[in-house]
Amino acid sequence: MIMMLPKDLLINFSLGWFLNPITYGDYPTSMRELVKERSPTFSSQDEVNVTFDFVGLNYYTAYYAANANPADPDHVRYQTDSNAIIKAKRDGNPLGPQVSGATWQYAYS
């Protein structure tokens, strides 16, 4: 069983999904344990040995992270694999003001 905070799981399932294979040669351990046999494996031919001087990251909004019930084994999919959910509000309070014209976007304040 994975014992991680929801925010860490969501980071692994978003940023780690792309960066871990090219920096460490594999997906994050939490992803491997939760996704199991559905995640591909890497061979030595897939290895990328690179160093980075800079990694840029664009993000357009921020959310709260919360625990979710474990994924239904009969309906597995990327959106539920992390057992964590993103929420725009916590206790009815948004993370920041909603961006004009974008129902999904909040400005972090």
Side-chain angles (χ1 to χ4, degrees), residues 37-59:
E37 69 277 351
R38 290 185 298 120
S39 62
T41 57
F42 296 99
S43 70
S44 60
Q45 293 177 333
D46 296 324
E47 287 184 20
V48 178
N49 294 317
V50 297
T51 59
F52 300 100
D53 292 328
F54 174 80
V55 174
L57 173 68
N58 288 336
Y59 72 96

Side-chain angles (χ1 to χ4, degrees), residues 25-46:
D26 201 1
Y27 292 116
T29 303
S30 62
M31 286 187 74
R32 284 273 179 222
E33 290 183 25
L34 290 166
V35 177
K36 298 182 177 36
E37 69 277 351
R38 290 185 298 120
S39 62
T41 57
F42 296 99
S43 70
S44 60
Q45 293 177 333
D46 296 324

Side-chain angles (χ1 to χ4, degrees), residues 67-86:
N67 286 316
N69 293 328
D72 178 356
D74 295 328
H75 297 95
V76 292
R77 58 194 181 281
Y78 170 76
Q79 291 86 351
T80 59
D81 281 338
S82 67
N83 293 337
I85 57 172
I86 58 172

Side-chain angles (χ1 to χ4, degrees), residues 60-63 87-89 94 96-107:
Y60 300 97
T61 192
Y63 291 103
K87 297 169 61 171
K89 296 180 180 181
Q98 192 167 12
V99 174
S100 177
T103 58
W104 57 272
Q105 193 173 19
Y106 291 84

